[in-house]
Amino acid sequence: MTIEFTLSNRQRDLQAGVRSLAQSIVRPQSLRWDREHAIDEDFLRNLARMATSMGHGGLGTSASLMRQEEEAPAAEKKPKSQNLTTVLASEEMAWGDAALLLCVPGPGLGGPPVRASGTPEQKKRFFGIFDDLTVLKWGAYALTEPTAGSDVAGIRTSCRKDGKNWVINGRKCFITNGARASWNVVFATVDPALGRAGHRAFVVEKGTPGFSVGRIEDKMGLRASETAELVFEDCRVPADNLLGGEEKYVTKEGFMTAMKTFDNTRPIVASMAIGIGRAAYEYARDFVKDHYVLSRPIPRYAAIAERLARVGRGLAAARMVTWRAAWLADEGIENAKEASMAKAMAGQAAIRACIDAIEICGAEGSIQTDHALLEKWFRDIKVYDIFEGTGQIQRIVISKRLISNLKSF
Ligand SMILES: Cc1cc2nc3c(=O)[nH]c(=O)nc-3n(C[C@H](O)[C@H](O)[C@H](O)COP(=O)(O)OP(=O)(O)OC[C@H]3O[C@@H](n4cnc5c(N)ncnc54)[C@H](O)[C@@H]3O)c2cc1C
């Protein structure tokens, strides 16, 4: 086994470029976006152009890159580093503002299932709409329901075939970009009694009769990101929009489509958490440098320094596990356990970082000013231990995988 920690020149350049953008343009606007619950469209348009030229779009990969990869002959396929590169860029951007990453136009979380399970025709159709970068467009991923969050297998949104259409009924909730998306990948079941084998994944386009948007959530954190409820009432979707076509669903493929998405996106979400945690850690570190080194009693300084060290090593360890999970995905190696480890570790390490940073700064840490964003990061970070599978669920995935393969971890 080769152990390689060196980033390529391209990855280092990207990391430095995103870091500079995050510092000079993103961070200064972060609190305003949070207060306004929105990010300026012109800014998003420019960012989408830039992200596409660098091979990134929304949470996942850019639409054009996804299509190029699918269409290229095997010999011309790009070097396999897309997941790791996205993880690197995501940490830097989340350091500037985490909600922004969820708002970048592109297929977003809807991209991976279309990429994993769509037919060539579906990929062309659904990714093709993102080619025109002058118009802001999003994709989204609709799995969660009021009674099925962690228990993904328990979804109740129903689907039944009717001639050349499928008819969908039910509700989805907490869907990132769900209201503004040009299409949502929607998971439904032909029969709840069949469990996972009954699941189907559809691409439901905006404007489809019977599809409407319910409540837009007023959230504690990531307030610039839109989180929507989606309603399906006898919503008729053309059979061509069943992801992968009917033959995909002879086995448990529909459910597997949902799970494959998580194996790719959990390391990205983990890297975003690390970005927020690092922002809080750096703020507290600088605060300590300015306020403690010469002016406070040594025992108190020593205790604070030990605390900073604990936060720093937690984030560094989570970053290593996250990079490995992304690298495994790039290599096409099964990474469900590692993706869950990354998500579980990063969420906890970053929450710890935000709590400790506020405590280290004392009262000043809890106040909102244009320069001090600890209070915002504290609100933003909690959800990283909730969405894309809660911390408890990650630990269940990890323990199941460890127990089924007792020889190694
Ligand atoms: C900002 C935001 C954006 C989101 N975006 C999307 C999106 O784009 N698409 C989408 O489909 N969903 C999205 N979600 C939903 C998210 O994925 C769910 O909230 C998450 O999966 C948890 O589900 P739940 O909220 O129903 O909690 P529940 O599943 O009800 O869990 C509640 C508590 O019980 C615990 N628990 C549950 N089962 C077990 C168990 N077996 N053992 C031990 N503990 C357990 C959980 O860990 C948690 O602490 C989003 C959520 C938020 C907050």
Side-chain angles (χ1 to χ4, degrees), residues 102 109 140-151 173-177 219 221-222 225 227 383 386-393 396:
L102 304 183
L109 279 175
Y141 175 91
L143 179 63
T144 305
E145 300 181 2
T147 55
S150 302
D151 179 21
C173 54
F174 307 122
I175 308 306
T176 301
N177 295 324
K219 305 190 299 296
L222 299 180
S225 159
T227 309
V383 78
I386 298 177
F387 62 10
E388 294 281 303
T390 66
Q392 286 82 6
I393 295 305
I396 290 172

Side-chain angles (χ1 to χ4, degrees), residues 295-349:
S295 59
R296 304 280 173 118
I298 285 173
R300 182 164 160 189
Y301 170 69
I304 298 268
E306 198 282 327
R307 225 166 155 181
L308 273 179
R310 184 155 35 90
V311 167
R313 71 176 184 258
L315 291 171
R319 183 191 285 127
M320 283 297 104
V321 175
T322 300
W323 284 14
R324 179 159 187 266
W327 175 83
L328 287 169
D330 283 332
E331 294 294 312
I333 301 170
E334 156 68 42
N335 75 336
K337 179 178 78 226
E338 289 76 10
S340 284
M341 283 179 169
K343 172 84 175 33
M345 277 180 75
Q348 288 294 308

Side-chain angles (χ1 to χ4, degrees), residues 53-66:
S53 70
M54 293 192 298
H56 297 272
L59 235 196
T61 322
S62 79
S64 58
L65 193 100
M66 284 187 195

